[in-house]
Amino acid sequence: MATNTQDQQSQAGRHQEVGHKSLLQSDALYQYILETSVYPREPEPMKELRELTAKHPWNLMTTSADEGQFLNMLLKLINAKNTMEIGVYTGYSLLATALAIPDDGKILAMDVNRENYELGLPVIQKAGVAHKIDFKEGPALPVLDQLVEDEKNHGSFDFIFVDADKDNYLNYHKRLIELVKVGGLIGYDNTLWNGSVVAPPDAPLRKYVRYYRDFVMELNKALAVDPRIEICMLPVGDGITLCRRVK
């Protein structure tokens, strides 16, 4: 009986809904991280944009606050200046990047939905970093193809963050590996995909989670054997895989 009670308590502490932004086993532990480390140091513009995004019906698409903090520090550590972001939504991760890079730094940002981007744009403008952003509305692949065609763009990006259509992640990778510099980083978001990468076949997954799971798992397998990169998969947010180009 004691074992059953312990099991029930353990399950009660776990996230009940597949799709929670944190992969930690308990809400209390995740909340501890947010309240102890993230929120006290979160820049005011990022807090404002996070709270604004929380009211949007698609708010699950946003980068989590702990991941935003991680990206901001990572960009500073690698002294990134020329960056790219595929998948912007309201711009929380974009703002984290813009605040981290120098005043003359640049972000090529792409998303199919300008309306969502413009929801967060006033906050970005108020933060004084909008001049760093070159936003392009529409699919990213045609833009990437144009960049790859011009050899002067090869190896020109310090950091690239991808949080977009999972069924195109491998297509992005084929192009981005040419554009990021040797020693530069590509970050692929959602590579643990709500924990579904280890879910049994009969797990009660949301339709979109089940649909994209195979694409995410295919990406993970491909990155693991790509000799052009070193990789590190981190359980931050919904999982982020960092790829450092080595050749």
Side-chain angles (χ1 to χ4, degrees), residues 34 93 106 127 144-146 150 153 158 176 187-188 193 208 217 223 231 236 239 244:
L34 293 176
S93 57
K106 297 297 180 185
L144 296 179
D145 285 337
Q146 288 180 350
D150 190 342
N153 295 317
D158 304 311
L176 297 179
Y188 291 103
W193 199 228
Y208 81 93
M217 295 177 71
L223 296 180
I231 66 170
V236 177
R244 178 178 178 267

Side-chain angles (χ1 to χ4, degrees), residues 133-163:
I133 300 168
D134 177 16
F135 179 83
K136 295 185 182 297
E137 182 181 21
L141 285 176
V143 178
L144 296 179
D145 285 337
Q146 288 180 350
L147 291 172
V148 170
E149 284 178 7
D150 190 342
E151 289 193 6
K152 74 177 183 181
N153 295 317
H154 290 198
S156 64
F157 288 88
D158 304 311
F159 180 78
I160 301 170
F161 183 60
V162 184
D163 183 9

